Amino acid sequence: MPEGPETHALADRLSTLLVDETLTYVRSIDPALQRRRGLLEGQRVLAVEARGKALLTAVEDGWTLYTHSHLFGFWRFVEDLESLPDGAPPRLVLATVRGVAALYAAPSISLWRTDELGTQPYLSKLGPDVLDPAVDAKALLAHMRTPRFARRTLAMLLLDQGFAAGMGNYLRSEVLFKAKLAPYRLLQDLTTGERRRLANALLDVPRRAYRAKHDDALPPGKDYLAKTRAQFGFEVFERKGDPCPRGDGRIVEERLAGRRLYWCKGCQT
Ligand SMILES: [Zn+2]
């Protein structure tokens, strides 16, 4: 599943295709959206933004298209409508004079008044986005004081978009390793210094992953899928049995909060 860095890189890719251009063609296999496509067609695109793992495409007339790829949704970019591959039809097609973006598989797609986006169920629950340049360690530390987080484990919190939007499973292992924290710790038991390490790692690791994607941008027209392992060198994720990079143990794999987690019992305490 794409995590924050992949979603933000995808927003950049969509921006080069859509922003400041007029939507010449909009099609969806969702009947409700297909009926309302006139609200988008002919409109100029103002911005494409990532929020957590959702993408928001805003047009000038006060409407915003919300898409969330979930586990299996993915985007494909082609030069023109004729170049869309045969086979299962896309759920959504957006075209400008610069090209065509198509969203496949099983995403969520809905159209919102831009000024009512705050009531969208997914967006309304998001915590600070670790890839939002306006979010800093101070903001994360303040958010960590929210009472409902206190008695939860770091392993659970680091998958909760309400705790830190844009986080996901590979980032969870890497953030905990960077912060030298064991996954079963409860947030309320962390010292001030440990909280600060966690906040810094929550900002540093996803931003490094995002920058790695930009250094290795895919050429236009190619499928966009996260190829994370090659682009962003994991220190612990999927490295079960390897020696810890800090030289004090071996990486173990555990299932925590339903997902694979990799960590070192030597340096993460
Ligand atoms: Zn270690």
Side-chain angles (χ1 to χ4, degrees), residues 18-23 43-48 57-60 96:
L18 302 177
V19 172
D20 288 332
E21 293 293 345
T22 298
L23 289 170
Q43 293 286 318
R44 194 168 61 90
V45 177
L46 298 178
V48 182
T57 303
V59 300
E60 59 187 344
T96 70

Side-chain angles (χ1 to χ4, degrees), residues 177 244 246 248-249 264 266-267:
F177 178 74
C244 170
R246 296 191 183 107
D248 53 6
C264 169
C267 54

Side-chain angles (χ1 to χ4, degrees), residues 110-166:
S110 53
L111 192 57
W112 293 79
R113 288 293 309 171
T114 301
D115 54 12
E116 291 172 0
L117 269 178
T119 63
Q120 201 282 338
Y122 173 81
L123 298 176
S124 66
K125 295 190 191 82
L126 284 183
D129 190 321
V130 291
L131 286 149
D132 178 349
V135 171
D136 59 12
K138 201 176 154 194
L140 287 181
L141 287 165
H143 188 63
M144 283 181 199
R145 288 195 285 273
T146 308
R148 70 187 157 95
F149 300 137
R151 298 173 63 82
R152 297 178 62 200
T153 63
L154 301 182
M156 289 188 73
L157 284 173
L158 265 55
L159 292 179
D160 181 347
Q161 299 299 296
F163 180 72

Side-chain angles (χ1 to χ4, degrees), residues 5 14 27 31 46 61 67 94 105 128 135 141 149 154 162 170 176 178 181 207 222 227 229 233 239 254 263:
L14 277 164
R27 185 183 74 200
L46 298 178
D61 218 17
T67 56
L94 302 173
V135 171
L141 287 165
F149 300 137
L154 301 182
Y170 80 80
L176 288 173
K178 169 97 181 168
L181 291 169
R207 290 172 192 202
K222 294 285 178 200
K227 293 183 177 67
R229 190 168 183 175
R239 291 191 180 277
E254 289 179 13
W263 66 295

